[in-house]
Each structure stands twice: as C-alpha cells, then as structure tokens.
C-alpha cells in the first residue's frame, strides 16, 4: 500500500515508465492457479485489450477462500435493514463462503453453466452479493439490473444478453414503500423467451404468483445445497459481468468486464484510495451507500472490499427514512470508519439542516468518500465540517461504469485533497486533455475533454454483443484514445477537476441517463409528436431533467398530459428518469439539416437566455422566442 505522497509519486512514475512490470508485481499478490504468460496486449483501434493473458484463477477464491485461514470469523458484511428497529445480520467470511457455494450449487442444479448469463434483480440484501459471487464461482456471467428499473427496462436488458436465469425477491422495502419486485419480473418475462428459471428469495412475504414450471423459491432449495463448490477455473479474459449503462444513443449498452484485470484493479484501488487498516485485529469498517445495481456497488460493495478482506456495511434503506439522520445513526451504531456516498445524498441531507446530524457523535469516522458526480464546493465543505468534523480526508473519486474502478482520486490522508477536485490519477492511469479536434492540451491551468491514453487493467473490453458500438462510443471520437465523455480542468498544480459530461448523457442524482433514452420513452405517448431532453442544474439532484415536448394543438389539458408523460417514462425506464419539467412547445430549434440545437435548449433550461448565440441559421428562428417565453 502507498503510504506517503513521495511514494505515490514514485509508484506513479514506475507505472508510466513500465506499466507491465508495475501491474505484474501487484497481480502476483493474488492466488492464481496458472500464471499469465504475458501481462498486456492492446490496441485502442479494435479496441482489443487483454491483461494477464492466459492466467487462470477464480475471483471468488481471491475474495473469499483466500481469507478463510485468518478471517473465517471476521465480518464480511453487516446488513442494516430498512426498518430502523428491524433485525440486522452479520455475515462472516465463513458464512459468505457457505452461502455463495450453496447458491452456486443451486445454480448448477438449474443447469447454469460457465458463460451463461444470469440476471440479478434484487434489493439491497446480502443475497444480492451472494448472487453475484455465486455466478462468478461457477463462471456464469452476472448482469445486475438496478431494482428501481421498470419491467420494460428490465426486459430489454434480459433480452440483450439472453439471460437464462433471473434471481430476484418477492418484494423490496425502500423507506415507507413496499415494492412488488416479483410482479415487475413477471411482467418483464412476458417478452423474455430465454429465461428458463426464476429463483425468488422471500424477503417481504408479499404475496406472489408462482409459475410452477419456471419459479423456484430460494429458501426451498438453497439451504439444502452443499456448501462446498469447487471454483470454476476462469481465464483472465473470460467475462465476469455485464452492466448496462446509458450512452448517447437510445438503447443502454452492456459494458463488459473480464475477470483478471477487474480483480487486480478494484482491489488495488480499494486499498490505496481508502487506506483501511486490514489487519485481523483492525476494527475498521467500510460503508459504501451505493446500490449493487450500479458499478459503485459492484466494485466497492462487492468485489473491492472482499478482495481486500475488509468488513463493510450493506444498507437496505434510504438516507431519509425514518428521518434524515439515518446515515449518521448507522455510522454511530456500527462505528463506521470509512464512509463513501454520493454528492446528491450529501446535498439532500445538508438541505434538511443540522438538527438531524447533531444527535450523533460520528467520532468513529476516519475517511469520507464521494462518487458519482462532481461535488460542488459547498457540499464538500458541509461534508468536511459537519460529518468529518474537519479531521477526515475526503476522497473525491472519479470513475465510470466503463473504467471498472476509480481512476482519479486522492489517496486518503496520503495525497493532498482540494475541494471539488478529484485531484490526481491513480498509478497506472494516464489522463490527457484534448480540444474539440483531438489535439492534446498540455501544461497546467487548462481545460478540455478528458481522455485516457493507456490501458488500465479494469477497463471496458467490449459492449455485449456489439463490439462496434464500444469502438464508436469510446475509441472513435479521438482515435488512439479512450474518450470518457467528461469535460475536465487541470489546475496550476496538475490537479484534475471533472466539470461534467460533454455528451448527451445526464447525471441525475449520480445516475447516468441518456437524453435519447428519455426522449424515446416520452415519444411513445400517443399525443407526443417529438421531444428534446436536456439536463439543467438542480440543487439536490445535481442535474434535473428538462423536456421540451411538441404535441398537436388540439391536445387535451396540458397538466393531464404532463402526468401521462411522466407515467410513460416511469413505465418504460423507471422513476429515476422522470422529467422534472415538461415544457409544451410548438416546435424545436433545428438547423436546416434537421439537427436539434441542444445548446440553445440547454441554455434556456439553465435560465441563461442572455447569450443564445446566432440563431439566424435555424430553420425557424421564431421558435426560440416562443421557447424562452414559455420557460418553466
Ligand atoms: C460522473 C459512477 C465528477 C462522470 C462511478 C462520469 C463524476 C459518470 C465523479 C460515470 C466524480 C463519477 N466527480 N464526476 N467524482 N464520479 N462522475 O458510470 O460524469 O454511473 O462520466 O459511474 O459520472 O457514471 P457511472
């Protein structure tokens, strides 16, 4: 582990001068059944990236079995239920081993084989992590879908990767809500011919409909299965999982991560960024508040902490239930030392005032983290002062679903921090700023589009079933470089500050949603002729969704229409994509070639109409005045 700023600089230098030797040393710390023959083979034209070539191992042996001699009775997870007076659960590394093996054997008995895809649609209960690891144990590919997505969004993801089995629950608790998860799955499966079996973990005891040919109750089969399951031998470049994420086109894409590089990189970054004491006698406790349905949950709830042998909290609920002090209550209850959350949560909890913080000591905390979106300076200061009591370094970790792990971040207490700056690249990561034409912008105190010029182990390998899409989305804008889609400033000291997306992807409460995806959901409403969606600054969510919608002049009451459009988006994507504002317009600003001038729409949504630029080249310049006048 890197423990001084000097050492960081040395390691960084080594990692750039000889990346292969650098990663070789780190990868050797894991348990491999067969060593790799070559560390790296790559080109960004294909793209074709391979790490630890021909290495054979299983990630679950590294995340679980490897720790058993010393840590069998150590906590892997403490689960805090949604209900404040509910019964919590402690899962030791030995329990984790047994549960994962039992489920792995169950999956085998349901005919799941290496390479088969398994969809996981579950709330935040330990079984969701068992499910991921059970797939990995037998070489099945997991595709976790966030349980807030609608049945149609779930169906699209299941179909795209032809999942054979779905693991789910009867229901889910989120705050005061009791969500009928199995009903959503049933609806989705009406259009998913590939699914042979559904395994349902009974969690809420909500009544469910059982399809006797297809449905299996978890509690009826898993407890009887053997707790010994030999781990499937996997190649470094075998697929570990698919995770769908939004891009600039309508359909979400399945980002593919492979076993070897992902293992090495998530563990390395977890250890170095958070700087936990991982000795057997340590009381350090990590808590990442993300959902396993997102990449943060994959890398820093499931794989990273387990690979490092850490103990962490899994929380089922929401930060505001039963009141806005829940996070702080849980931190005190379990003596959490390392807390990792999203700026949107910080802003929401800041907004309700300090009365919800005051009852709690928060004196166990040592390190705070932020992820998912740029953290504004005010939220950073509030977090630092009121939660970290000015003694906890804040690691602002920049990364993406496609990067697998953290790429730019401070190392807690080791490298300097600066409010709203992700600061410096991790060893092995070579960022570069380019202008619109792709020319490198060198030196400091500059701003440009953020690219990465050299592969790191946990980078995206392909988009499932469509390699061209991967090439087009990430490797074609600037040939020879991985393009992140983010804008970025490098300050006078070389510290990086991510300024937000420069493509048509929004970041709503730290969740990525493509404008095209929301537009196509809105357009399915019968009365909608056309729509254009942009993000706008939102105090709590970071960005809100602003939709401009064209409807025929005869259309019914606009308030009813707005409600219907929101219902449509809920149905097609899920509540996270619901527009905050819907402006009914008679046209959209388009160029003569029919391209929507989003820049203008963005400015209007932001409330900045002073400088809309030259609108004379528009097909119908008059429409801009109408839009400005009707701004919500
Ligand atoms: C944004 C989440 C600023 C960024 C791990 C990126 C951030 C997108 C930060 C990826 C951060 C994430 N500072 N922006 N610390 N972390 N982002 O795939 O725009 O859900 O491209 O991965 O979130 O979102 P994703």
């Amino acid at each position: 582990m890197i423990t001084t700023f000097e050492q960081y600089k040395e390691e960084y230098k080594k990692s750039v001068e000889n990346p292969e030797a650098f990663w070789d040393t780190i990868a050797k710390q894991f348990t491999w059944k067969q060593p790799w023959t070559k560390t790296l083979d790559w080109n960004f034209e294909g793209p074709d990236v391979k790490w630890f070539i021909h290495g054979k191992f299983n990630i679950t042996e590294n995340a679980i079995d490897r720790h058993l001699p010393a840590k069998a009775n150590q906590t892997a997870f403490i689960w805090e239920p949604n209900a404040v007076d509910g019964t919590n659960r402690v899962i030791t590394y030995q329990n984790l081993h047994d549960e994962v093996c039992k489920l792995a054997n169950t999956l085998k008995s349901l005919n799941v084989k290496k390479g088969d895809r398994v969809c996981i649609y579950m709330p935040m209960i330990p079984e969701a992590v068992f499910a991921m690891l059970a797939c990995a144990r037998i070489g099945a590919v997991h595709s976790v879908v966030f349980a807030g997505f609608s049945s149609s969004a779930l169906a699209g993801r299941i179909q795209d990767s032809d999942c054979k089995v779905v693991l789910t629950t009867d229901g889910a608790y989120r705050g005061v809500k009791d969500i009928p998860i199995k009903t959503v799955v049933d609806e989705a499966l009406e259009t998913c011919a590939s699914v042979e079996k559904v395994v349902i973990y009974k969690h809420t005891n909500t009544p469910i409909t059982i399809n006797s040919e297809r449905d299996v109750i978890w509690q009826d089969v898993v407890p009887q299965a053997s707790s010994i399951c030999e781990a499937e031998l996997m190649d470094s470049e075998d697929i570990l999982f698919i995770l769908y994420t939004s891009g600039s086109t309508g359909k979400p894409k399945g980002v593919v991560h492979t076993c070897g590089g992902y293992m090495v990189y998530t563990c390395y970054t977890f250890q170095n960024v958070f700087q936990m004491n991982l000795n057997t006698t340590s009381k350090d406790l990590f808590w990442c508040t993300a959902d396993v349905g997102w990449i943060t949950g994959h890398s820093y709830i499931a794989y990273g902490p387990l690979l490092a042998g850490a103990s962490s909290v899994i929380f089922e609920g929401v930060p505001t239930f039963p009141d806005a002090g829940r996070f702080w209550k849980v931190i005190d209850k379990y003596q959490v030392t390392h807390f990792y959350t999203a700026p949107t949560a910080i802003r929401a909890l800041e907004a309700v005032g300090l009365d919800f913080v005051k009852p709690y000591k928060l004196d166990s905390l040592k390190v705070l983290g932020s992820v998912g979106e740029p953290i504004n300076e005010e939220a950073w200061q509030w977090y630092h002062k009121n939660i970290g009591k000015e003694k906890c370094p804040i690691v602002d970790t920049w990364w993406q679903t496609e990067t697998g792990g953290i790429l730019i971040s401070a190392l807690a207490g080791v490298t300097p921090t600066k409010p709203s700056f992700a600061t410096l690249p991790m060893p092995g990561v070579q960022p570069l700023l380019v202008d619109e034409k792709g020319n490198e912008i060198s030196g400091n105190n500059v701003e440009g589009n953020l690219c990465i010029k050299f592969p790191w182990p946990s980078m995206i390998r392909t988009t499932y079933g469509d390699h061209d899409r991967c090439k087009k989305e990430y490797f074609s804008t600037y040939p020879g470089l991985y393009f992140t889609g983010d804008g970025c400033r490098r300050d006078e000291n070389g510290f990086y500050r991510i300024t937000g997306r420069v493509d048509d992807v929004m970041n709503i409460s730290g969740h990525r949603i493509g404008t095209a995806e929301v537009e196509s959901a809105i357009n399915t409403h019968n009365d909608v002729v056309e729509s254009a969606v942009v993000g706008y600054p939102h105090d709590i969510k970071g960005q809100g969704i602003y939709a401009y919608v064209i409807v025929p002049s005869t259309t019914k009451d606009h308030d009813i229409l707005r409600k219907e459009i929101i219902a449509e988006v809920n149905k097609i994507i899920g509540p996270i994509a619901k527009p905050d504002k819907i402006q009914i317009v008679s046209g959209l600003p388009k160029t003569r070639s029919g391209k929507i001038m989003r820049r203008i729409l963005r400015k209007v949504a932001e409330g900045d109409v002073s400088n809309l630029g030259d609108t004379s080249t528009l097909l119908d310049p008059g429409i801009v005045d109408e839009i400005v006048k009707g701004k919500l």
Side-chain angles (χ1 to χ4, degrees), residues 245 294-296 340 343 370-375 396-403 408 422 484-486 497-501 507 510-512:
T245 188
W294 310 111
I295 191 68
T296 308
Y340 190 31
S370 171
V371 60
E373 53 179 314
I375 178 164
D396 176 1
T397 64
W398 173 82
W399 57 297
Q400 310 178 296
T401 304
E402 296 84 349
T403 70
I408 304 183
T484 64
D486 280 324
R497 174 191 188 148
I498 312 302
T499 49
R501 303 289 304 194
N507 194 325
H511 301 146
R512 263 167 78 166

Side-chain angles (χ1 to χ4, degrees), residues 366-391:
K366 296 181 193 169
V367 171
L368 300 176
S370 171
V371 60
E373 53 179 314
I375 178 164
N376 48 309
E377 177 136 9
E378 195 195 330
W380 195 101
Q381 296 294 1
W382 187 87
Y383 197 29
H384 181 56
K385 182 162 173 240
N386 300 297
I387 307 306
K389 314 288 182 198
E390 293 176 344
K391 66 179 176 53

Side-chain angles (χ1 to χ4, degrees), residues 173-461:
Y173 299 122
R174 274 183 76 74
V176 291
K177 291 193 219 135
D178 184 345
I179 304 156
I181 295 280
K182 170 64 162 55
T183 312
V184 180
V185 173
D186 286 340
E187 267 170 37
L189 294 191
E190 284 170 18
T191 56
C192 299
S194 61
V195 175
E196 294 170 10
K197 292 284 173 197
V198 177
V199 184
I200 305 122
Y201 182 83
K202 282 199 157 184
H203 176 55
T204 57
N205 289 318
T206 313
I208 53 172
T209 318
I210 294 283
N211 170 338
S212 57
E213 311 259 289
R214 185 193 70 189
D215 296 352
V216 180
I217 301 294
W218 185 305
Q219 282 93 337
D220 289 347
V221 286
V222 178
Q224 282 99 296
S226 159
S227 58
I228 296 165
C229 177
E230 200 181 323
E232 185 77 29
L233 201 58
M234 301 296 283
D235 187 275
S236 290
E237 287 300 330
D238 281 337
I239 302 182
L240 175 63
F241 67 83
I242 304 168
L243 183 58
Y244 286 86
T245 188
S246 291
S248 38
T249 52
K251 204 171 143 239
K253 50 194 180 247
V255 171
V256 170
H257 284 291
T258 56
C259 297
Y262 182 82
M263 169 175 80
V264 171
Y265 195 77
T266 53
C267 183
Y268 177 78
T269 49
F270 176 77
Q271 290 167 327
N272 284 288
V273 169
F274 295 104
Q275 297 279 321
M276 284 180 73
N277 178 344
L278 297 167
N279 294 337
T280 44
T281 52
S282 165
K283 294 267 180 281
D284 277 7
L285 182 63
F286 184 71
W287 181 16
C288 166
T289 68
D291 190 284
V292 285
W294 310 111
I295 191 68
T296 308
H298 282 59
S299 303
Y300 300 108
I301 291 178
Y303 290 105
L306 294 176
L307 286 161
S311 304
S312 24
V313 174
I314 296 181
F315 175 45
E316 180 183 27
V318 295
T320 47
F321 178 79
D323 64 45
R326 188 65 186 276
F327 274 0
W328 323 131
K329 191 183 191 73
V330 173
I331 289 172
D332 273 8
K333 179 173 177 187
Y334 298 116
Q335 298 287 291
V336 170
T337 54
H338 293 66
F339 180 66
Y340 190 31
T341 196
T344 187
I346 298 167
R347 287 191 299 265
L349 298 176
E350 176 185 355
V352 297
L354 285 173
D355 284 352
F356 291 97
V357 183
K358 282 188 190 133
Y360 305 103
K361 286 203 176 113
L362 303 176
D363 55 353
S364 56
L365 287 171
K366 296 181 193 169
V367 171
L368 300 176
S370 171
V371 60
E373 53 179 314
I375 178 164
N376 48 309
E377 177 136 9
E378 195 195 330
W380 195 101
Q381 296 294 1
W382 187 87
Y383 197 29
H384 181 56
K385 182 162 173 240
N386 300 297
I387 307 306
K389 314 288 182 198
E390 293 176 344
K391 66 179 176 53
C392 302
I394 296 180
V395 288
D396 176 1
T397 64
W398 173 82
W399 57 297
Q400 310 178 296
T401 304
E402 296 84 349
T403 70
I406 296 165
L407 293 200
I408 304 183
S409 171
L411 311 183
V414 172
T415 65
T417 60
K418 177 173 176 180
S420 75
F421 279 72
T423 72
L424 296 171
M426 294 299 297
V429 174
Q430 301 187 34
L432 155 127
L433 301 184
V434 297
D435 64 19
E436 295 289 314
K437 295 201 182 79
N439 301 313
E440 175 164 3
I441 303 172
S442 46
N444 285 342
N445 233 336
V446 290
E447 196 162 333
N449 289 346
L450 178 63
C451 294
I452 315 286
K453 67 177 170 199
F454 194 84
W456 62 100
S458 67
M459 71 183 292
I460 180 172
R461 297 302 196 268

Side-chain angles (χ1 to χ4, degrees), residues 530-548:
E530 194 181 3
S531 65
V533 164
V534 296
Y536 72 96
H538 187 288
D539 284 351
I540 305 289
K541 297 174 164 188
Q543 269 191 312
I545 301 182
Y546 196 116
Y548 298 88

